[in-house]
Amino acid sequence: MARLEAAGRVIAGTARGIRLQGAGPGVRPLGDRLKEALFATLEPELRGAAFLDLFAGTGAGGVEALSRGSATATFVEANARAFATIERNLQAAHVGGPAARLVRADVVAWLRGVPGGPYDVVLVDPPYDQPALLTAALEALAGPGPGPHRGAIVRAGGVVVAKHASKTVVPAEIGLLRSARERRFGDSALTFYRWAQEAG
């Protein structure tokens, strides 16, 4: 069996330095440079947060969040190999247990069901060659509006981060979610969305 490429390491927190396992072809890891920039921006919002990792892949986003003090992380991933990799990475980083919820499901269908929440921080990282999935996920997140009301997925004051190809044009606004910041790193980009009243 081919050896799986590593998916970088945990940058900070209780699991700092732990190497994460990759999930094989077709799953783009959240690389260390991008992860460092992402979590440096999110750091003030992570302590005690409910983190949602959509299209979770190797689980690197949610593992990093738990390592840095998030109260919970929910991982949603449809691919069987990637799902098993998330389980292994949680064990390796010793951040699993009741704080980690793993859901094997189609992300958009799950969001349109009963996803729980509201979540404080949401990372959306679909395959780069399927930008329609990103738009569909953002629409599902924005649809119920800001929490804490029943059915809300993202709380008022929460943040949604879309990871996508730099060449992909993402919507400036979807429902009441507005693009508040964008950062580019080679062929990857991060777009940060907040609710309209907070995006300015």
Side-chain angles (χ1 to χ4, degrees), residues 1-8 19-25 29 81 85 88:
M1 184 175 177
R3 180 178 177 273
L4 293 177
E5 182 183 354
R19 290 275 170 190
L20 301 177
Q21 188 177 107
R81 173 179 278 181
T85 301
R88 289 193 291 272

Side-chain angles (χ1 to χ4, degrees), residues 42-151:
L42 293 177
E43 187 72 43
E45 309 189 55
L46 290 174
R47 181 68 53 184
F51 190 95
L52 177 58
D53 193 350
L54 299 175
F55 308 96
T58 65
V63 168
E64 186 75 32
L66 289 170
S67 178
R68 292 177 183 243
S70 287
T72 63
T74 299
F75 303 80
V76 187
E77 174 56 58
N79 180 281
R81 173 179 278 181
F83 191 83
T85 301
I86 296 168
E87 294 178 316
R88 289 193 291 272
N89 283 335
L90 283 166
Q91 291 171 3
H94 305 290
V95 292
R101 177 188 177 202
L102 280 72
V103 180
R104 189 178 169 199
D106 174 86
V107 167
V108 176
W110 181 79
L111 287 172
R112 290 173 177 164
V114 186
Y119 298 92
D120 301 292
V121 183
V122 182
L123 175 61
V124 190
D125 185 11
Y128 282 10
D129 61 353
Q130 298 183 59
L133 276 180
L134 176 59
T135 301
L138 291 171
E139 288 172 346
L141 289 165
H149 67 81
R150 184 178 176 86

